[in-house]
Amino acid sequence: MTLAVEVTQLSIYADEQCLVDRLSLQIRLGQPVTILGETGSGKSLLAHAIAGILPSGLRQEGHVTLFGRSQDALSQSELEAMWGKALAVLPQEPWLALNPIRAIDGQISEVGECVLQEPSTHSQGNAQRQLDRLGLGEDGNKIPAWLSGGMAQRAAYAAATYAGAPLLIADEPSKGLDEARRDQIGALLVQHAQCHALLTITHDIELARQIGGEIIVMRQGQILERGDAEQILNQPRSDYAKALIAAHPSQWPQATKHRQTTPVLSANALSHRRGGRLLFNQLDIQLHQGEIVGLSGDSGSGKSTLADILLGLLSPDSGKIANPLPRGQALKLYQDPPAAFAQHVSMGALLQDLIRLHKLDANQIPALMNQLNLAPALLQRPARAISGGELQRFALLRALLMKPRFLVADEPTSRLDPITAAQITQLLVKYAREHDAALLFISHERTALERICDRIISL
Amino acid sequence: MMPRLLPLLGLVLLAALLSLVAIDLLYFGRDPALQQLQQVFLHPSPDHPLGTDQFGRCNLARLSAAIQNSLLMSLLCVATAALLGTGAGLAAAWYQGWVDRCLSFIINVLMALPGLVLVLLFAALIPGSFVMLYLAISAVLWVEYFRLVRSATLSLRHAPEVEASMLYGFGKGYILRRHLLPKLLPDLLSLACFGAASAILALASIGFVYVGLKPPEAELGLMMVELLPYYSDAPWVLAQPLLTVFVLILSFNLIASGVRHDIGR
Amino acid sequence: MIALLKRRLLQAMLVAWSVGTLTFVLMHLLPGDFAYRIAAGRYGYDQVNKLAADAVHVELGLADPAWLQYLSWLWDLLRFDLGNSLISGAPVLQEIQHQLGHSLQLALFATVFSLLIAVPIGVYCGKRAKGPADQLCLMISTLLRAQPVFVIGLVLVLIFALQLGWFPVAGFGGSQYLILPAISLALTMAALSNRIIRNNTASVMGSPYMQFARLKGLNAEQAFARHAAPNIALPVIAFVGVQAIALIEGIVMIESLFSWPGIGHALAHAIFGRDVPMIQASALLMGLLFVLINTVVDLLGYWLDPRQQPQPKKRGAQ
């Protein structure tokens, strides 16, 4: 089978720091290769190195051979001539990779006109056929802002592959997509891989499982293990691969159901509209002490809006909360941990503010920090100098100080790497139960909700 | 290295102009309007370090008075505009409703006309009045503060960090102190520097078209038109107010560029 | 788009109202007998007497309460009845018509010149951001921006008119009179706009969609023409609207400096002579010119940027 890419002993350095350490791999037509690892571990740099678009300031060692031609021997213009025709890149952020002010059909068909020198009517026909095949037949005249993330990803796929490159590099293709849309793009890649060479870079083990072929597990630029997809995903050898696989919601233990006790909050007949669209109508919700309730739905379906109404931040169009909780008893954990803290002071100062306001006992902080595995030195730092996982634990600590009766967690782990995300979720569930708080857990990951929640509300 | 040096250069330039004023006040202290017609266009000498003008008035005294006029005007206008604009912007964004609608209406009226036209119309009400010009320039300048503070506060008001503080029971004062002001400060400071430059520019502009401060007042724009006819006799006298306006505006612009770099992360 | 036009129409009304109110106040602040001045404006100071002044007094309704006078002042304004000049006595509208044409001519040439200077420089520097040429441009722009427009004009006059004698010092006539004022305005505007264009270009060139366009297979020229240029052009067009303020303020200054017979010159002149009807008319037209420029910019932006347009429902329904 034809060898598309051969990478030998590739290392990438930023100054003295090694971002990718002596990586070798071969990609052949019909045999997909997947690099699996956490975000920010240097995986994407590999894609850039193969395409020859490594940002200036990074140093590359080792060899990359594309279709039998060594990258070192290629001039810049010869390398650029391979883009589109020999190698295609599926971008990480499809929304940003498409020109924001042009309809997508033109952005696909122009590849035919400019690269393959086809007559424009011919390219337009081809582009339309591609769009039809990808389920975007009606959407060709739309600009990216009018497409969903999944639609934009498919449009970008059509544009990237139009010129017929035998090699496709897909960089985090499932980023930001929910399970159903991830499966869609996965299916597309599987189909593409049948007669093309495919290199996928992802942190998503379900996508890796779907694509199959060879998997290389990487962390901080180091290869931890590599082998056949089946074998790696079912019998991982490295600790990291084990942790990564165990962190996936499908591997979580099923929580024991909580029996319903005293109600904390009841809302009757809630209805709300946004931009003329009815989000929910005549919704009754009751939350009990120690109960964990999941809230799922597509983006824009009103999950956060409902939570804000329950928290008393927003008045519903109709309906009401029967027993609104006093301020400080209904709290929220946010999706983007650094955004939830004042930026210009240290965590210690913020906690002091809270202690002074509510006359809390400051002595409980060291013990809680210890339980949540937070180093005392972190108190000196401002939020943006603390990692997302630690910050989310700080958010939990801040909430626990108040002994809240109702806690909303709004996608609290979607910006965290899978292993940290699993840890945070487990901690949240544990403390909500221990403190008898009602926890409303918002997520677009249905599997995760099914594992941890007593019941799920779908919008 | 460049961006660190530039604001410093701005401060040095401003300090140089201020020391010019100080030298005049401490060692000479002449009346800038005092005419000595037998001493027209004297070249610089120890007695008149910058020479004299077409009426034999001491250039140093006139330049020093003009710089004081410009700086006083800009200081007053910026302080007024900053306080008024920040306060009104916070109120409009926080209370919304009719407060916001009223304030935004006033802003729309002010923005319907280019600033200088508005200043000219105000200047026409009471010609040659420093107070009128102060009111007019402040009225134009506060618009920027209002718009900046209002939009920043509107977006921050529902930002997770502010929402979280509200959920935890913190009041408006705390949110202003901890969340809003630290975020707004760099922008407010750079706006203040640009505002000072605009005020100086506006004052000189209307002086230049003869509708600002009246002779014998020493004012940079006015000095330029007055000296223009004598350009061939004494180009170096005409150059003095030209250079002064240039250095004043440049120094504030340079300081503004540094404010953003140093405070904004 | 209707909302956009409505907003601009409202702005035009606000211009008229604020100009009308300020000039009304101004009229009443004028020293001396108001009717006498109007009468003098009408018949000349030699012919005016108490009788004529009294007739004007009655005719203008000056015996009416202030609020009624205010309303009738605004009503006249709404009908575009702007009265006669207090100085020349001629109908203001007649005088101002020609002046508006001259100002429009100057504004148009200044804007075109500024774009001719700023666009090539901005795009060139944006493609080579942080390079030596970019640093040099930054320095020149910073120095130019610290100059009030009339100082630039003054320096150009000193060099090109008085020293070299290439152009006339001031006045109005053939194209040689237009060059210096238009260039002065253009330099002031370009000093700022070339940096804006440079920043846009740099961010567009580094954008993910430009990289993706190259990776699709387009060469550098194709990618620039098809993806970078339109995305650079949009904010540039919007910035022309922002610069309308600088343009109109500059027109007041530059017309006065060059004795260019436009509405800016007329405004400064009228304020100096306290000729209220002329002040009203020229300020009104400057304000309306400002609104007009912004309206054109808005419409262009709407037409060129699909993000501002409503989303098409079905294919072919565009």
Side-chain angles (χ1 to χ4, degrees):
Chain A
M1 262 177 287
T2 325
L3 186 63
V5 181
E6 182 163 24
V7 173
T8 17
Q9 298 284 310
L10 179 74
S11 300
I12 298 171
Y13 299 91
D15 295 326
E16 287 313 299
Q17 198 195 353
C18 180
L19 302 174
V20 172
D21 189 19
R22 285 163 298 162
L23 174 70
S24 299
L25 59 82
Q26 295 179 336
I27 308 169
R28 292 166 200 278
L29 300 191
Q31 290 184 336
V33 175
T34 302
I35 311 257
L36 185 64
E38 65 194 22
T39 28
S41 62
K43 305 185 307 271
S44 294
L45 292 178
L46 174 66
H48 292 164
I50 294 175
I53 51 170
L54 210 57
S56 58
L58 297 185
R59 195 161 46 84
Q60 172 181 342
E61 280 174 13
H63 295 285
V64 176
T65 309
L66 295 166
F67 302 97
R69 302 171 72 187
S70 166
Q71 216 182 47
D72 301 330
L74 291 171
S75 71
Q76 183 64 24
S77 58
E78 282 173 320
L79 182 68
E80 288 177 8
M82 299 182 87
W83 292 345
K85 284 185 179 164
L87 77 94
V89 177
L90 191 58
Q92 203 179 96
E93 308 267 7
W95 255 330
L96 301 180
L98 295 168
N99 183 342
I101 58 170
R102 276 187 61 198
I104 53 167
D105 53 2
Q107 301 195 45
I108 298 166
S109 64
E110 70 176 2
V111 181
E113 291 164 43
C114 295
V115 184
L116 307 178
Q117 268 83 42
E118 295 170 350
S120 63
T121 46
H122 187 78
S123 320
Q124 281 157 14
N126 277 344
Q128 187 57 45
R129 272 190 293 285
Q130 272 283 4
L131 287 169
D132 288 336
R133 189 171 77 85
L134 296 168
L136 297 170
E138 298 285 304
D139 304 304
N141 60 348
K142 289 185 179 165
I143 56 171
W146 299 337
L147 303 175
S148 70
M151 290 159 88
Q153 184 66 279
R154 279 175 277 153
Y157 170 83
T161 56
Y162 188 104
L167 166 67
L168 177 66
I169 302 173
D171 188 5
E172 293 280 8
S174 64
K175 195 174 171 185
L177 301 181
D178 64 22
E179 289 165 33
R181 298 199 171 91
R182 180 198 65 206
D183 290 346
Q184 257 175 357
I185 197 78
L188 200 59
L189 291 177
V190 168
Q191 198 186 9
H192 191 89
Q194 283 169 1
C195 45
H196 293 85
L198 174 69
L199 173 65
T200 312
I201 292 165
T202 186
H203 66 277
D204 188 332
I205 62 162
E206 283 306 310
L207 183 71
R209 191 188 301 278
Q210 210 178 343
I211 291 170
E214 186 188 7
I215 289 185
I216 301 173
V217 182
M218 264 177 82
R219 192 190 186 202
Q220 286 165 353
Q222 308 279 336
I223 297 178
L224 298 178
E225 66 177 301
R226 63 196 299 168
D228 183 55
E230 274 304 286
Q231 177 225 321
I232 297 252
L233 294 173
N234 294 331
Q235 287 118 28
R237 277 168 291 129
S238 65
D239 291 340
Y240 176 69
K242 283 178 191 161
L244 193 65
I245 290 160
H248 194 270
S250 60
Q251 309 294 315
W252 294 357
Q254 183 66 46
T256 45
K257 299 277 187 225
H258 187 75
R259 62 200 154 67
Q260 297 192 347
T261 50
T262 335
V264 171
L265 193 72
S266 9
N268 305 319
L270 294 179
S271 304
H272 199 75
R273 300 179 157 274
R274 188 176 50 207
R277 206 166 70 84
L278 189 66
L279 294 176
F280 36 84
N281 194 20
Q282 299 292 319
L283 194 66
D284 293 319
I285 292 180
Q286 199 166 47
L287 296 160
H288 303 85
Q289 273 186 8
E291 186 185 29
I292 295 167
V293 178
L295 185 56
S296 78
D298 282 335
S299 52
S301 63
K303 300 189 295 285
S304 298
T305 309
L306 177 60
D308 284 351
I309 290 173
L310 294 176
L311 286 166
L313 289 168
L314 190 72
S315 310
D317 290 347
S318 68
K320 69 180 180 75
I321 313 284
N323 50 341
L325 291 165
R327 267 287 140 88
Q329 290 291 294
L331 301 174
K332 182 171 170 183
L333 297 179
Y334 294 84
Q335 181 174 23
D336 186 17
F341 294 92
Q343 304 294 311
H344 297 260
V345 283
S346 68
M347 297 312 289
L350 286 178
L351 290 181
Q352 279 306 319
D353 289 344
L354 195 63
I355 284 166
R356 214 172 304 128
L357 181 72
H358 292 285
K359 305 194 173 46
L360 301 171
D361 177 15
N363 296 324
Q364 55 181 326
I365 291 181
L368 266 175
M369 284 188 70
N370 195 22
Q371 284 173 38
L372 289 167
N373 200 12
L374 287 166
L378 293 176
L379 286 173
Q380 314 301 323
R381 296 198 211 155
R384 60 173 179 278
I386 299 177
S387 77
E390 285 168 326
L391 217 45
Q392 203 59 291
R393 275 178 276 156
F394 253 118
L396 182 59
L397 167 82
R398 179 165 73 159
L400 292 177
L401 283 177
M402 299 290 294
K403 304 201 174 17
R405 293 166 64 198
F406 172 45
L407 196 55
V408 170
D410 191 352
E411 308 255 14
T413 61
S414 63
R415 302 272 171 96
L416 305 175
D417 71 82
I419 297 173
T420 316
Q423 283 168 354
I424 297 282
T425 309
Q426 301 302 338
L427 277 173
L428 252 173
V429 168
K430 173 168 171 263
Y431 281 96
R433 291 260 203 252
E434 275 181 15
H435 286 74
D436 264 347
L439 175 66
L440 184 71
F441 199 104
I442 304 177
S443 175
H444 63 264
E445 277 190 282
R446 189 80 194 180
T447 322
L449 290 182
E450 278 162 6
R451 297 288 157 152
I452 60 167
C453 296
D454 299 321
R455 60 196 164 95
I456 299 175
I457 300 168
S458 296
L459 285 183
Chain B
M1 193 181 92
M2 278 282 276
R4 297 222 137 260
L5 277 181
L6 288 178
L8 204 66
L9 179 66
L11 284 173
V12 168
L13 289 175
L14 194 61
L17 288 178
L18 284 174
S19 53
L20 197 75
V21 174
I23 289 171
D24 170 59
L25 294 178
L26 289 176
Y27 298 105
F28 297 92
R30 286 203 186 84
D31 177 4
L34 180 68
Q35 300 190 1
Q36 285 178 297
L37 292 173
Q38 68 280 24
Q39 302 194 346
V40 172
F41 291 128
L42 284 188
H43 280 278
S45 66
D47 198 30
H48 294 283
L50 295 177
T52 60
D53 70 358
Q54 74 277 26
F55 296 118
R57 296 176 292 195
C58 175
N59 282 334
L60 178 63
R62 291 190 60 72
L63 218 50
S64 147
I67 294 172
Q68 290 174 55
N69 266 334
S70 288
L71 286 180
L72 181 66
M73 178 66 86
S74 63
L75 193 69
L76 286 176
C77 291
V78 165
T80 311
L83 284 176
L84 188 66
T86 308
L90 284 172
W94 200 267
Y95 297 106
Q96 300 182 327
W98 64 268
V99 180
D100 187 23
R101 277 197 295 277
C102 285
L103 286 167
S104 294
F105 177 78
I106 296 174
I107 289 298
N108 279 330
V109 173
L110 289 172
M111 289 205 326
L113 280 173
L116 189 67
V117 176
L118 204 69
V119 175
L120 281 172
L121 287 177
F122 267 87
L125 291 179
I126 306 176
S129 154
F130 187 89
V131 175
M132 211 61 211
L133 293 178
Y134 152 69
L135 289 178
I137 296 173
S138 306
V140 172
L141 283 187
W142 80 287
V143 172
E144 287 300 317
Y145 288 88
F146 176 85
R147 280 158 47 94
L148 170 81
V149 171
R150 179 177 174 273
S151 74
T153 310
L154 271 181
S155 67
L156 265 177
R157 210 194 135 151
H158 297 289
E161 55 173 284
V162 171
E163 193 183 279
S165 280
M166 284 165 70
L167 282 175
Y168 279 87
F170 288 108
K172 292 191 188 83
Y174 179 85
I175 288 168
L176 186 67
R177 199 174 73 241
R178 271 280 186 259
H179 299 278
L180 292 176
L181 286 185
K183 282 238 159 88
L184 287 171
L185 208 58
D187 286 328
L188 288 178
L189 280 174
S190 87
L191 213 52
C193 294
F194 284 124
S198 313
I200 290 166
L201 181 61
L203 187 66
S205 297
I206 56 172
F208 188 78
V209 293
Y210 243 90
V211 292
L213 299 180
K214 296 282 176 213
E217 194 76 49
E219 193 278 316
L220 294 166
L222 191 60
M223 287 163 76
M224 289 180 212
V225 259
E226 287 177 341
L227 290 165
L228 191 53
Y230 305 99
Y231 136 81
S232 52
D233 300 328
W236 53 275
V237 184
L238 174 60
Q240 291 175 9
L242 287 182
L243 263 175
T244 309
V245 165
F246 170 67
V247 172
L248 269 176
I249 297 180
L250 181 67
S251 64
F252 279 112
N253 282 352
L254 290 179
I255 297 170
S257 74
V259 165
R260 286 224 53 105
H261 278 282
D262 287 350
I263 302 179
R265 93 204 74 155
Chain C
M1 191 171 71
I2 301 293
L4 188 153
L5 288 176
K6 256 192 206 156
R7 208 174 62 232
R8 290 299 174 197
L9 191 68
L10 180 77
Q11 193 191 0
M13 310 268 286
L14 285 178
V15 166
W17 177 71
S18 57
V19 169
T21 307
L22 276 170
T23 45
F24 176 77
V25 175
L26 183 56
M27 199 76 183
H28 285 259
L29 284 176
L30 281 185
D33 184 6
F34 182 72
Y36 190 86
R37 292 194 65 140
I38 299 260
R42 214 175 267 182
Y43 311 115
Y45 276 93
D46 300 337
Q47 271 83 40
V48 77
N49 55 24
K50 184 81 178 71
L51 220 63
D54 286 344
V56 170
H57 200 274
V58 173
E59 180 199 320
L60 290 178
L62 288 176
D64 293 340
W67 64 269
L68 208 64
Q69 289 183 41
Y70 178 53
L71 283 187
S72 83
W73 181 268
L74 289 184
W75 175 239
D76 285 346
L77 178 64
L78 211 61
R79 290 180 302 149
F80 243 75
D81 177 1
L82 298 173
N84 298 338
S85 163
L86 295 186
I87 291 172
S88 72
V92 161
L93 213 52
Q94 218 168 39
E95 291 201 13
I96 214 99
Q97 264 173 3
H98 299 285
Q99 292 165 346
L100 179 65
H102 300 155
S103 288
L104 281 176
Q105 191 187 5
L106 183 58
L108 187 70
F109 276 93
T111 307
V112 171
F113 285 167
S114 85
L115 290 177
L116 285 179
I117 300 168
V119 171
I121 293 179
V123 170
Y124 182 89
C125 291
K127 283 182 167 180
R128 296 157 188 80
K130 304 242 184 267
D134 183 33
Q135 298 286 354
L136 182 71
C137 274
L138 173 64
M139 208 166 79
I140 295 173
S141 302
T142 310
L143 292 179
L144 266 182
R145 268 159 62 190
Q147 308 274 7
V149 61
F150 53 91
V151 171
I152 294 180
L154 206 56
V155 171
L156 290 186
V157 168
L158 295 181
I159 298 174
F160 293 102
L162 292 173
Q163 287 291 340
L164 299 173
W166 291 357
F167 299 101
V169 175
F172 182 74
S175 59
Q176 73 271 27
Y177 287 93
L178 180 70
I179 303 287
L180 283 185
I183 295 275
S184 318
L185 277 170
L187 279 178
T188 308
M189 293 198 286
L192 184 55
S193 59
N194 89 79
R195 298 312 293 173
I196 302 286
I197 295 167
R198 176 256 182 214
N199 292 348
N200 281 327
T201 307
S203 83
V204 167
M205 295 309 286
S207 69
Y209 59 81
M210 273 303 280
Q211 186 173 67
F212 186 56
R214 296 299 314 278
L215 288 173
K216 284 195 295 194
L218 270 57
N219 64 35
E221 291 77 33
Q222 289 164 338
F224 186 84
R226 286 165 174 265
H227 297 285
N231 279 293
I232 295 170
L234 276 180
V236 171
I237 292 169
F239 195 70
V240 170
V242 173
Q243 281 210 309
I245 297 179
L247 177 66
I248 289 182
E249 294 183 351
I251 281 180
V252 177
M253 304 307 303
I254 285 298
E255 287 185 354
S256 302
L257 175 66
F258 287 91
S259 306
W260 183 266
I263 45 174
H265 184 54
L267 177 64
H269 209 71
I271 287 179
F272 184 67
R274 316 209 78 198
D275 183 353
V276 179
M278 272 308 280
I279 295 178
Q280 185 183 36
S282 49
L284 182 68
L285 283 187
M286 304 216 84
L288 292 182
L289 180 63
F290 178 53
V291 177
L292 177 76
I293 295 174
N294 274 304
T295 312
V296 171
V297 164
D298 283 357
L299 288 177
L300 264 177
Y302 181 88
W303 178 54
L304 292 173
D305 187 352
R307 284 169 297 189
Q308 294 187 28
Q309 294 160 16
Q311 194 171 341
K313 291 281 176 290
K314 274 232 148 51
R315 186 149 204 123
Q318 240 171 336

